[in-house]
Amino acid sequence: MPRLSLKAAAPLAALLLTPALVSCSSQELKQPREQGVEKLKAVVEERYDFDPSSFTQGLEVADDGTLYVGTGQVGSSRIYRATPDGQVMASRDIDPGFFGEGLTRVDDHLWQLTWQDGVAIKRDAQTLDELGRTTYEGEGWGVCARDGEVILSDGTSQLRRMDPETLAERERFDVTLNGTEVPRLNELECVGDQIFANVFLTTDIVRIDATTGDVTAVIDASSLPNNAAPDPNNVLNGIAHIPGTEEFYLSGKRWPDLYRVSFQPAAVG
């Protein structure tokens, strides 16, 4: 999701108290396991240096273990590929009029979203060169790929199923936690039949059944140190599954840290 000052003129506290957001607050996300929703926590296994200038909007691991990183901000959005320890292998600037958002890989190409421009950029997965563009309705926040489809978020409680080759929209579905819609779904990561989404303005990540839209787990990532400069925009953002493991990379907007984490059961009570 883009910077708060562009999203709304209201202060952060007012954003958090609007009726649409109160319907499923951060505190509510941390509630009951008795209805079948797991309560997990992010445990740091290793920390890496990360580029503190990156307004991270999208994060994904390539087949060779390197990272794709997409960043935001009008005039300075880019996409780059780097090793976990920060060695940049390729980098491309985005059209200076665009605000870059999430990204995902589909076979030999990438899709990179823009926030309010309704434009998705198709890129070569190796060189990051632009191959073409397509359009979609409304805002683009996060995106991830699974077998036969791409999943797109737009900051609401709905996710969209898109054609992986054309990004044409097929359908939308609601994401709910114990029957209550979960708003502000942001950066996405698809892992098999599950979708992981961070909830914008919180340190919560929800695990979603990709078929039903039901939240099956709430992951508390509040233990990750946020060492970014003080700024309400510099929040948790960026989820990337590490292939062949049950671990993930997590980072945030302008965070100087990249964390390799595992998701473990949280203490009950």
Side-chain angles (χ1 to χ4, degrees):
M1 164 59 193
R3 72 185 187 202
L4 300 181
S5 56
L6 288 178
K7 181 65 178 174
L12 179 60
L15 263 176
L16 291 170
L17 292 174
T18 58
L21 302 188
V22 169
S23 65
C24 192
S25 69
S26 177
Q27 185 60 36
E28 287 171 326
L29 286 175
K30 294 181 171 65
Q31 308 248 332
R33 173 169 170 66
E34 57 267 21
Q35 296 188 46
V37 178
E38 287 189 272
K39 186 176 179 181
L40 305 174
K41 61 181 179 181
V43 176
V44 176
E45 305 293 344
E46 190 169 3
R47 178 208 164 272
Y48 305 86
D49 288 336
F50 202 62
D51 181 359
S53 71
S54 292
F55 196 80
T56 303
Q57 301 287 70
L59 190 68
E60 184 154 334
V61 182
D63 293 340
D64 62 0
T66 58
L67 293 169
Y68 294 111
V69 184
T71 77
Q73 302 290 1
V74 173
S76 60
S77 295
R78 64 180 178 133
I79 182 172
Y80 64 95
R81 187 174 180 179
T83 61
D85 61 6
Q87 180 183 351
V88 176
M89 304 171 67
S91 180
R92 297 289 183 270
D93 292 334
I94 302 174
D95 185 311
F98 289 160
F99 193 119
E101 283 286 344
L103 60 83
T104 195
R105 179 170 179 170
V106 180
D107 298 326
D108 60 354
H109 66 271
L110 303 172
W111 284 114
Q112 183 178 23
L113 304 182
T114 57
W115 177 27
Q116 294 183 316
D117 302 285
V119 174
I121 303 167
K122 188 176 185 178
R123 296 183 179 276
D124 183 278
Q126 295 298 321
T127 66
L128 306 185
D129 291 339
E130 183 173 329
L131 301 176
R133 297 182 181 184
T134 191
T135 59
Y136 52 87
E137 179 184 347
E139 296 187 0
W141 287 35
V143 63
C144 67
R146 53 191 304 268
D147 286 347
E149 64 182 2
V150 162
I151 305 295
L152 182 147
S153 66
D154 58 11
T156 69
S157 59
Q158 286 191 328
L159 296 178
R160 310 182 193 185
R161 301 189 194 277
M162 319 289 277
D163 184 279
E165 293 301 318
T166 66
L167 228 59
E169 184 174 330
R170 293 172 174 171
E171 67 171 359
R172 303 188 185 194
F173 62 100
D174 295 318
V175 173
T176 59
L177 172 61
N178 294 333
T180 301
E181 293 181 356
V182 181
R184 293 173 286 146
L185 298 172
N186 194 10
E187 226 274 283
L188 305 179
E189 180 73 348
C190 291
V191 184
D193 293 329
Q194 300 172 333
I195 303 167
F196 292 80
N198 84 286
V199 180
F200 183 56
L201 302 180
T202 78
T203 53
D204 287 325
I205 297 168
V206 290
R207 189 184 69 201
I208 304 160
D209 184 302
T211 301
T212 65
D214 294 335
V215 171
T216 60
V218 176
I219 303 154
D220 180 3
S222 62
S223 63
L224 272 62
N226 181 345
N227 295 313
D231 186 323
N233 298 297
N234 294 347
V235 295
L236 176 76
N237 204 42
I239 311 169
H241 175 244
I242 303 172
T245 77
E246 295 184 356
E247 296 182 334
F248 292 75
Y249 291 121
L250 299 180
S251 191
K253 301 179 182 184
R254 302 194 188 101
W255 281 24
D257 311 293
L258 173 73
Y259 298 102
R260 179 171 61 83
V261 306
S262 58
F263 296 151
Q264 301 181 16
V268 178

